[in-house]
Amino acid sequence: MEEGFKHSGYKEYVAGLFAGVATVIIGHPFDTVKVKLQKHNTTVHGITYRNGLHCTARILATEGVRGLYTGATPSFVGMAFESSLLFGIYSQTKQLLQGGIQSNRPQPQVIIPSAAFGGAIISFVLCPSELVKCRMQIQGTDSLIPKCSGYSSSLDCALKTLKNDGVTGAFRGGSATLLRESVGNAVFFSVYEYVRYYMHLQLKTGSSDHSSLVDMGIGILSGGLGGVAFWSTVLPLDVAKTIIQTAPDKSYSTNPFQVLYSIYQSAGFRGCYAGLGPTIARAFPANAAAIVTWELAMKLLGIKNN
């Protein structure tokens, strides 16, 4: 986001909602592969995938394309709401911290706390939706979970979780999610803002106006690189979250650092970055789509980029 955006309350939240939908459409298949790699290549005593392509091939062979979108329903709901909150909170907190001082240059003392605060808030939305998503995704291909004890749908998973574990059970993995989102979004928006600023600086030729294609290209690169930076930084926390949320034993530790230490002991450093391939492959296009969609929606809603 540039200072050129004139902030207009609810419109930033609406634009963020569209960004979330775009993220799921582009990124969910990669996410399904990532979750299976994290589960099978760290704790499950079953098949171990050689890489993301091996996992993808097995899903396609046994379940088809539909298998890659397992658990997409809670993702659409969670990501739409989450992105709406994230972009809206980030925009308004950033504006508040700037105190009316307009500056074209990115200010880390404003960007980092705004993004971290937004990330912390959305973690409370993401945690239960991702718990359902992950539990659905580990079913199907190569799952060691008997079909009779599996979930028939996302709604079935959510209801059984609430029945068996209560409301607190829906927030299992909450601390890992909060850390991932607050740290990750601080990194994401910092990279996004700086890449965007310097690209505009390089392309500026005496006029601040840019064609729509140039703006889209900048959005793709700044959003994509921001996404790669996000996941490169916090993937170990995401691995811990997946293990915590899909552990069948209720007494299993919910401390992400204890879980990571356990993974490191059994699978080494590589285990802490299980799913890195599909995660990075997903990060660039999914986050590029989110930023381009968000910026386009802002313009269509009448918030101009001067």
Side-chain angles (χ1 to χ4, degrees):
M1 284 171 297
E2 288 196 314
E3 296 306 326
F5 280 126
K6 295 177 181 177
H7 299 273
S8 182
Y10 77 94
K11 291 183 179 180
E12 288 151 341
Y13 292 89
V14 175
L17 186 148
F18 286 116
V21 172
T23 301
V24 177
I25 292 172
I26 300 295
H28 192 81
F30 294 97
D31 188 71
T32 298
V33 174
K34 178 204 73 173
V35 169
K36 281 189 175 289
L37 283 169
Q38 289 176 341
K39 183 67 176 177
H40 282 263
N41 289 17
T42 55
T43 60
V44 173
H45 298 295
I47 184 170
T48 298
Y49 300 116
R50 294 191 297 273
N51 50 46
L53 288 176
H54 178 214
C55 179
T56 304
R58 289 190 63 84
I59 294 172
L60 290 173
T62 56
E63 302 174 70
V65 175
R66 186 177 179 179
L68 292 172
Y69 280 91
T70 302
T73 301
S75 274
F76 273 114
V77 175
M79 281 298 294
F81 190 29
E82 171 261 322
S83 289
S84 176
L85 282 176
L86 176 63
F87 283 101
I89 290 171
Y90 173 72
S91 300
Q92 295 188 343
T93 305
K94 181 181 162 190
Q95 187 181 33
L96 180 66
L97 292 178
Q98 284 173 333
I101 299 174
Q102 298 298 309
S103 172
N104 288 324
R105 189 178 182 85
Q107 299 171 285
Q109 71 273 24
V110 170
I111 296 169
I112 293 173
S114 299
F117 177 61
I121 296 298
I122 64 168
S123 69
F124 293 98
V125 176
L126 276 178
C127 185
S129 69
E130 289 201 359
L131 181 137
V132 172
K133 172 187 72 69
C134 288
R135 290 185 177 182
M136 290 297 294
Q137 286 174 321
I138 64 169
Q139 296 185 146
T141 303
D142 302 318
S143 175
L144 295 182
I145 300 171
K147 288 188 177 181
C148 60
S149 61
Y151 305 110
S152 60
S153 67
S154 297
L155 179 60
D156 180 49
C157 178
L159 291 175
K160 284 182 178 177
T161 298
L162 289 172
K163 180 181 178 180
N164 297 330
D165 304 330
V167 175
T168 56
F171 287 89
R172 186 174 179 84
S175 57
T177 308
L178 189 147
L179 283 170
R180 185 195 71 182
E181 291 302 312
S182 56
V183 174
N185 278 295
V187 172
F188 171 78
F189 279 105
S190 295
V191 172
Y192 163 66
E193 295 277 15
Y194 274 97
V195 171
R196 183 176 177 79
Y197 170 74
Y198 283 111
M199 286 191 71
H200 274 297
L201 204 63
Q202 290 297 318
L203 293 171
K204 192 170 184 179
T205 56
S207 171
S208 60
D209 295 326
H210 298 285
S211 71
S212 295
L213 283 177
V214 171
D215 279 338
M216 184 178 291
I218 292 174
I220 289 171
L221 191 59
S222 58
L225 290 176
V228 170
F230 178 112
W231 286 106
S232 298
T233 304
V234 300
L235 185 58
L237 286 169
D238 186 67
V239 174
K241 182 195 72 70
T242 296
I243 301 306
I244 291 168
Q245 292 185 325
T246 58
D249 185 0
K250 293 182 182 180
S251 63
Y252 193 84
S253 175
T254 58
N255 183 320
F257 299 108
Q258 286 183 355
V259 173
L260 278 175
Y261 182 67
S262 175
I263 293 171
Y264 178 76
Q265 285 186 311
S266 61
F269 186 75
R270 186 174 182 178
C272 296
Y273 275 88
L276 178 64
T279 299
I280 298 302
R282 167 190 180 272
F284 195 98
N287 286 279
I291 288 297
V292 170
T293 302
W294 178 68
E295 291 182 345
L296 178 61
M298 293 277 276
K299 290 179 181 178
L300 292 176
L301 289 168
I303 304 177
K304 302 295 183 181
N305 184 9
N306 297 327

